[in-house]
Amino acid sequence: MVRQMLLYERVVPLSPARHGRWSIAPLEDLGFAAGVNSLPLMVSEFAAAAVEYPIVFVVDDRGATPMVVLGFRANRNALVDGAGRWRGRYLPAFLRRYPFVFSASPDGRTLTLCIDESHRGFDAKGRRGERLFDDAGNRTAALERALAFTRTFQDEHDRTRRFGAMLKDAGLLGPASARAAGPEGAAASLAGFHCVDRAKLKALDGERLAALMAADALELAHLHLLSLRNFDRLAEFTATDDRSRGDAHAAPPAAH
């Protein structure tokens, strides 16, 4: 499992001086995400994502980050096919936000909208898609939509961070691993993540349980636990990906 900026290669502040003629085409080819087997997930996405994908947590000194798992193989996203199409139904917001992202000032008080200039959807001469700025240097409707989505994502990021901190502070997260059998019988395994410990959740005192419930954290924890059933479904996606790459008989290695 990995922590990200991972998809962003050449991040620079967006400005009319540098990007005045730039345009962006619709995001159709998701090949840029083919090399990651997990992505950060916002709490507002749990209900939609839990139906299809496993949701786990990466825990470190900064807190606990929810992640949606997208493949059993390290550095391979089983949900992106060879043509860059998404195999699943729900597309995580982390991908829908790309290639835009906020950069925070050292004190965290100022956010600057940035773009990944390496994104293939950009056209520096403005010939494809929609312009980012008009001829007067004002933001276009396309850029305003991207800015609004990125702001919403940032707000959800802060809410998600608080949720992860609640679970970690309550001592509910513990190391976990997953093992599933693909449709052809080959076992797939995954490690290096954390999950909510059901026994510890049941043992919570009334005050702590009420606090989790009031913050909607209890519902989110149960959605996370429900989503773990999708590891078998993920093994099927991984097998499909293996066949498309011509290595259907290779045993999936553990991914960390």
Side-chain angles (χ1 to χ4, degrees):
M1 308 294 296
V2 292
R3 300 278 311 223
Q4 284 84 353
M5 276 296 281
L6 74 180
L7 300 180
Y8 294 81
E9 298 179 8
R10 195 166 70 247
V11 176
V12 300
L14 183 66
S15 71
R18 183 180 178 94
H19 307 105
R21 299 296 304 176
W22 285 43
S23 61
I24 184 170
L27 186 64
E28 296 177 350
D29 183 353
L30 296 172
F32 65 91
V36 294
N37 72 342
S38 62
L39 288 171
L41 193 75
M42 302 299 106
V43 291
S44 59
E45 303 180 85
F46 270 45
V51 177
E52 285 194 271
Y53 319 119
I55 301 170
V56 301
F57 294 85
V58 170
V59 176
D60 57 24
D61 294 340
R62 293 175 291 181
T65 303
M67 307 287 288
V68 59
V69 187
L70 303 172
F72 272 99
R73 291 187 178 277
N75 304 318
R76 275 183 39 181
N77 187 338
L79 274 296
V80 177
D81 68 16
R85 295 181 297 250
W86 191 255
R87 289 188 170 107
R89 293 186 297 274
Y90 181 72
L91 184 66
F94 192 93
L95 295 179
R96 287 181 278 128
R97 177 189 61 163
Y98 183 84
F100 298 91
V101 66
F102 276 130
S103 173
S105 62
D107 61 8
R109 296 181 179 180
T110 302
L111 297 175
T112 300
L113 184 63
C114 299
I115 60 171
D116 180 1
E117 288 188 333
S118 70
H119 175 49
R120 287 179 291 179
F122 283 131
D123 183 346
K125 296 184 178 180
R127 296 165 298 187
R128 293 182 293 111
E130 298 179 88
R131 290 268 300 274
L132 300 175
F133 298 96
D134 62 22
D135 291 339
N138 300 310
R139 293 193 294 259
T140 62
L143 181 53
E144 290 287 2
R145 290 193 300 270
L147 178 59
F149 188 87
T150 307
R151 282 174 176 158
T152 300
F153 187 94
Q154 185 66 35
D155 291 342
E156 287 298 318
H157 171 77
D158 294 339
R159 180 183 167 210
T160 301
R161 184 174 55 188
R162 292 193 294 271
F163 164 64
M166 288 190 72
L167 296 186
K168 185 179 179 183
D169 293 346
L172 292 176
L173 297 173
S177 61
R179 187 174 179 84
E184 294 159 6
S189 61
L190 191 72
F193 58 86
H194 284 63
C195 289
V196 168
D197 186 309
R198 292 176 183 268
K200 292 180 179 179
L201 183 60
K202 290 180 180 179
L204 283 180
D205 60 55
E207 183 177 352
R208 185 65 70 99
L209 196 61
L212 290 175
M213 186 177 299
D216 295 328
L218 187 60
E219 178 184 359
L220 293 168
H222 283 296
L223 284 170
H224 147 67
L225 290 170
L226 180 66
S227 79
L228 300 180
R229 300 179 182 180
N230 290 321
F231 273 113
D232 285 335
R233 179 180 175 86
L234 185 64
E236 296 177 1
F237 278 123
T238 300
T240 298
D241 185 54
D242 286 344
R243 287 193 296 269
S244 70
R245 296 171 185 253
D247 55 355
H249 300 293
H256 301 278

